[in-house]
Amino acid sequence: MITEAQFVELIKEAKAATKQRKFKQSIELIINFKDIDVKKGFALNEVVQLPKTSSPATVCVMATGDMGQKAKQANADAVIGTDELAKFAANKRESRKFINKYDFFLADTQVMPTVGKTLGQLLGPRGKMPTPVPFNAPIESFLQRFRTSIKVRSRASLSVSCKIGDESMDDADLSINAHAVLSAVEKKLPNGEKNIKRIMVKTTMGKPIKQIQEVKKKNA
């Protein structure tokens, strides 16, 4: 596996290779795969918690009653109940706008059937189906975990790309995040590290910077 020190060098080069913009650029990790038959249904849909974060992910909680109140007290980005879900069922345009606003969704298990009926057809294809939260589970802990997480998703493709932070973050912290994502992805590959062809890092508007040493050379 590529080391954190190697990731630091990639990140430094990616930052240096991009022009300064009027907005804060993301730092993205790209992983290309090999020796995987995508026709056999290969897919990745993982939630990876990042050790270092500069801006929290946005999380919406779908719940009523006690869980809904606790989610509000824990400062969830949004808390909606069954009444709001029913309104979305009648307005697909507003539903899409709503879904696009949030990175993750959590739902009380009692509300999940309603979520499936009203928003399931829109949430599913986007990889945003809510994570069920059991009755009396600590919603605060769920929120804390998802606020520091990213979704790593790939379907029928030999590559995956995800944000590991932004250009304001320390290179070492970004490296730690990149290593965490790579470790999580390797565990889901049929042959682990042997299925990785190339690793690249780029800024939002910059060109991809390939890893210094190809994994295949390392394994040779």
Side-chain angles (χ1 to χ4, degrees), residues 118-131:
T118 57
L119 294 176
Q121 290 184 337
L122 297 176
L123 288 165
R126 290 168 173 78
K128 289 189 174 184
M129 282 300 289
T131 297

Side-chain angles (χ1 to χ4, degrees), residues 18-177:
T18 191
K19 296 180 180 179
Q20 189 171 3
R21 306 287 177 172
K22 294 181 179 180
F23 63 93
K24 188 185 295 182
Q25 295 190 71
S26 298
I27 304 296
E28 300 170 12
L29 174 67
I30 304 168
I31 306 173
N32 292 338
F33 307 125
K34 65 178 181 179
D35 302 328
I36 295 176
D37 189 351
V38 295
K39 294 181 180 179
K40 292 185 177 180
F42 171 73
L44 286 172
N45 191 21
E46 300 298 313
V47 174
V48 181
Q49 190 170 13
L50 299 179
K52 308 290 183 178
T53 54
S54 62
S55 57
T58 53
V59 186
C60 172
V61 178
M62 300 170 172
T64 58
D66 185 58
M67 185 179 293
Q69 288 298 320
K70 288 182 178 179
K72 291 178 181 178
Q73 293 170 3
N75 296 319
D77 294 282
V79 180
I80 65 170
T82 51
D83 290 343
E84 291 88 346
L85 286 170
K87 292 178 182 178
F88 283 127
N91 193 324
K92 287 294 195 307
R93 184 178 179 182
E94 288 300 315
S95 296
R96 291 189 184 93
K97 288 172 61 178
F98 166 72
I99 290 170
N100 290 336
K101 285 176 63 177
Y102 304 101
D103 298 306
F104 294 104
F105 293 88
L106 306 176
D108 184 342
T109 50
Q110 296 179 340
V111 177
M112 279 296 288
T114 304
V115 175
K117 291 178 182 178
T118 57
L119 294 176
Q121 290 184 337
L122 297 176
L123 288 165
R126 290 168 173 78
K128 289 189 174 184
M129 282 300 289
T131 297
V133 181
F135 179 70
N136 277 342
I139 188 64
E140 301 86 357
S141 297
F142 276 80
L143 284 168
Q144 184 177 7
R145 175 162 65 92
F146 279 89
R147 281 171 176 153
T148 58
S149 297
I150 59 168
K151 177 65 70 70
V152 180
R153 188 167 182 257
S154 176
R155 186 174 183 180
S157 174
L158 284 175
S159 68
V160 67
S161 175
C162 63
K163 176 182 175 180
I164 56 171
D166 61 61
E167 60 185 348
S168 70
M169 293 176 63
D170 185 78
D171 295 343
D173 288 345
L174 288 165
S175 173
I176 291 170
N177 286 349

Side-chain angles (χ1 to χ4, degrees), residues 174-208:
L174 288 165
S175 173
I176 291 170
N177 286 349
H179 206 265
V181 172
L182 181 59
S183 297
V185 170
E186 282 190 357
K187 291 176 182 177
K188 296 297 179 179
L189 298 177
N191 294 302
E193 184 180 4
K194 293 180 180 179
N195 288 131
I196 293 179
K197 179 180 181 180
R198 186 178 297 112
I199 297 169
M200 296 177 282
V201 174
K202 68 182 291 292
T203 59
T204 303
M205 304 297 290
K207 65 179 181 179

